[in-house]
Amino acid sequence: VQDSALKARQRNKDILNKLKKNASQTGTTLQERDELLLEAKSLKGTLDNISSKETELDNEIQHLAADLPNLTTKGTPIGKEPRLLGYINHRPSVSPLADHVSIGNDLDLIDFAGASTVSGWGWYFLKNEGALLEQALVQYAISVATRHGFSVLTPPSIVYSHIASACGFQPRDQGGEQQSYTIAQKDGEFGKPEMTLAGTAEIPFAGIKANTTMNESDLPLQVVGPSRCYRAEAGARGLETKGLYRVHEFTKVEMFAWTTKWDSDAAFDSMLTVQKEILQSLGLYCRILEMPSTDLGASAVRKIDMEAFFPSRRAKDDGFGEVTSASICTDYQTRRLNTRLKLTSPGQAKTEFPFTVNGTALAVPRVLAAILENRWNEEGEYVEVPEVLQHWMHGIKTIKKKT
């Protein structure tokens, strides 16, 4: 296509030059002029077809390029098995048998039936102390992150689809399963940029600096904020998706940072410190995993997950389930978003792309579920509220049945 385009455009240029030259000279026959015009007309159709084909091929190249994942670090396990890095807190000697769904129903904290009527399967209402517990978790997570130097930023929930794609989030996974919710366009809006519900605040956080140039003196820039997150793939019903474990909509407190290429590890460690402090203070037994190459998203070169122990999930993965994640994305996102960094250090190039790092400070539904299951007192039929949350729970120390 390129060879044909080059030859056709050169021939078209030659014809135009010849027509201009002949127009300024006498002696050019009418027949010669007509032949040149006829050839130029034919070339126009050829060039239109070539241009259309070039656009089609360029779009295909862009789609293929978007599917290319980032590289991985040397320390990332190759394959499917994660590497155990350590534990947080001690495994409970006696674990309650009740799951968070039955506990939530008994204490009037969660309403799945009402939500299924309103929105379908995969949604839920949080009620009474359950709703207070959600807000307490959000406030506590933000307070810990800000103490570690993060600035608070609340993002929009609806983003342009091309911003999500630039961050490594595709509408469908490799198996063709829908991953995100796309906003339907109204009549007359076709041609306008498509919009989608953000699956994580990582997307609008990264996008806020699209097409801008940051100053090295402003880095690392670390933000934290709460948002509603939307995931289309709640999965088939079963142990893996029961109750609050996998839902379509949830509240999450997200951390995000822009750094220089030599400071990304420090920002990553800072996020891990926040995550460990939150989970430890909540009294949850967790394991820390270096995730393998097959579990990394498109943008990540390294990813560490922290999984909490859920007594109700003991039949799967020894009861552990992911509650936080942190990733280093190098310049994968900033290149695609055209976020640049102006360097001032001696001997450095004038501009380059900053690195991005992201991490979950707290995903409310899973942590809330873990608290209900692990702090459930079967004999007294109440849930003990973690001490660090009681300040935001109006002093409530236990959640009991309603009389």
Side-chain angles (χ1 to χ4, degrees):
V1 174
Q2 286 181 325
D3 289 342
S4 298
L6 184 63
K7 291 176 181 178
R9 286 176 178 133
Q10 183 59 50
R11 179 56 185 161
N12 190 56
K13 183 178 179 181
D14 292 342
I15 291 173
L16 291 175
N17 289 336
K18 197 168 185 179
L19 286 170
K20 289 179 181 179
K21 183 177 180 181
N22 291 346
S24 63
Q25 296 177 350
T26 57
T28 302
T29 65
L30 185 61
Q31 181 180 354
E32 289 175 335
R33 180 177 176 275
D34 289 344
E35 287 175 352
L36 288 171
L37 289 172
L38 185 63
E39 185 179 357
K41 185 177 181 180
S42 175
L43 277 173
K44 183 180 183 303
T46 301
L47 288 171
D48 286 344
N49 290 333
I50 289 174
S51 180
S52 177
K53 185 64 175 177
E54 284 178 329
T55 300
E56 179 183 335
L57 290 173
D58 184 64
N59 289 336
E60 184 178 355
I61 289 171
Q62 294 297 325
H63 284 300
L64 289 171
D67 289 338
L68 288 173
N70 208 336
L71 302 175
T72 60
T73 62
K74 293 181 180 179
T76 297
I78 303 301
K80 298 181 179 180
E81 294 300 319
R83 182 170 64 252
L84 179 64
L85 299 178
Y87 292 93
I88 300 172
N89 295 321
H90 298 288
R91 188 182 186 111
S93 56
V94 179
S95 300
L97 298 176
D99 61 42
H100 70 274
V101 176
S102 60
I103 296 171
N105 287 332
D106 287 346
L107 301 184
D108 198 22
L109 305 177
I110 312 171
D111 185 351
F112 291 104
S116 67
T117 301
V118 173
S119 306
W121 180 82
W123 273 271
Y124 58 95
F125 282 101
L126 290 178
K127 305 168 59 180
N128 304 313
E129 294 93 337
L132 290 177
L133 192 56
E134 176 182 47
Q135 299 305 313
L137 287 167
V138 169
Q139 290 300 318
Y140 177 61
I142 291 174
S143 71
V144 174
T146 54
R147 185 158 32 83
H148 284 271
F150 287 79
S151 300
V152 181
L153 181 66
T154 56
S157 296
I158 299 177
V159 298
Y160 287 125
S161 296
H162 67 268
I163 296 292
S165 178
C167 292
F169 295 86
Q170 300 300 322
R172 295 182 182 275
D173 63 14
Q174 294 180 345
E177 184 180 1
Q178 188 72 27
Q179 298 289 295
S180 58
Y181 292 105
T182 301
I183 307 299
Q185 292 180 312
K186 299 177 182 178
D187 292 340
E189 288 187 339
F190 293 104
K192 292 185 178 181
E194 183 183 73
M195 303 198 79
T196 186
L197 291 173
T200 168
E202 173 190 345
I203 299 170
F205 282 167
I208 196 174
K209 295 296 183 180
N211 301 314
T212 65
T213 299
M214 307 178 73
N215 293 316
E216 183 181 359
S217 59
D218 295 331
L219 302 187
L221 177 57
Q222 301 179 115
V223 297
V224 63
S227 73
R228 297 292 279 181
C229 303
Y230 301 86
R231 309 280 175 90
E233 60 358 312
R237 302 189 190 191
L239 179 62
E240 178 64 21
T241 61
K242 185 176 181 180
L244 295 174
Y245 192 78
R246 193 177 298 276
V247 291
H248 290 300
E249 180 182 3
F250 58 96
T251 300
K252 180 159 69 83
V253 180
E254 182 76 2
M255 297 178 287
F256 192 88
W258 295 264
T259 76
T260 60
K261 59 187 177 183
W262 47 84
D263 286 335
S264 61
D265 285 343
F268 186 64
D269 290 341
S270 176
M271 292 183 185
L272 295 176
T273 298
V274 172
Q275 293 172 339
K276 291 175 184 177
E277 180 177 335
I278 290 172
L279 295 174
Q280 185 172 34
S281 62
L282 291 175
L284 298 177
Y285 172 56
C286 304
R287 66 181 181 184
I288 306 170
L289 302 176
E290 183 83 44
M291 301 309 292
S293 55
T294 54
D295 199 74
L296 269 60
S299 61
V301 298
R302 185 185 181 195
K303 179 170 173 272
I304 288 181
D305 283 359
M306 297 186 191
E307 298 183 341
F309 175 67
F310 293 81
S312 67
R313 291 171 53 83
R314 279 173 290 196
K316 182 178 177 61
D317 296 328
D318 197 27
F320 286 101
E322 178 196 339
V323 289
T324 73
S325 179
S327 301
I328 300 176
C329 298
T330 64
D331 58 359
Y332 182 97
Q333 296 174 330
T334 54
R335 282 182 180 274
R336 287 158 175 76
L337 292 167
N338 192 33
T339 302
R340 294 183 177 270
L341 173 63
K342 184 178 180 181
L343 296 172
T344 56
S345 300
Q348 298 293 329
K350 290 185 178 179
T351 60
E352 63 180 28
F353 296 98
F355 279 20
T356 58
V357 184
N358 67 79
T360 311
L362 193 143
V364 168
R366 291 188 183 182
V367 172
L368 192 151
I371 288 173
L372 293 183
E373 292 189 12
N374 284 282
R375 303 182 77 89
W376 169 247
N377 185 299
E378 289 184 331
E379 184 178 347
E381 295 187 318
Y382 64 84
V383 170
E384 181 184 355
V385 177
E387 185 177 353
V388 293
L389 300 181
Q390 293 173 13
H391 171 72
W392 287 281
M393 291 281 292
H394 308 303
I396 296 174
K397 296 182 178 180
T398 58
I399 302 174
K400 303 176 181 179
K401 281 189 175 183
K402 310 298 181 290
T403 55

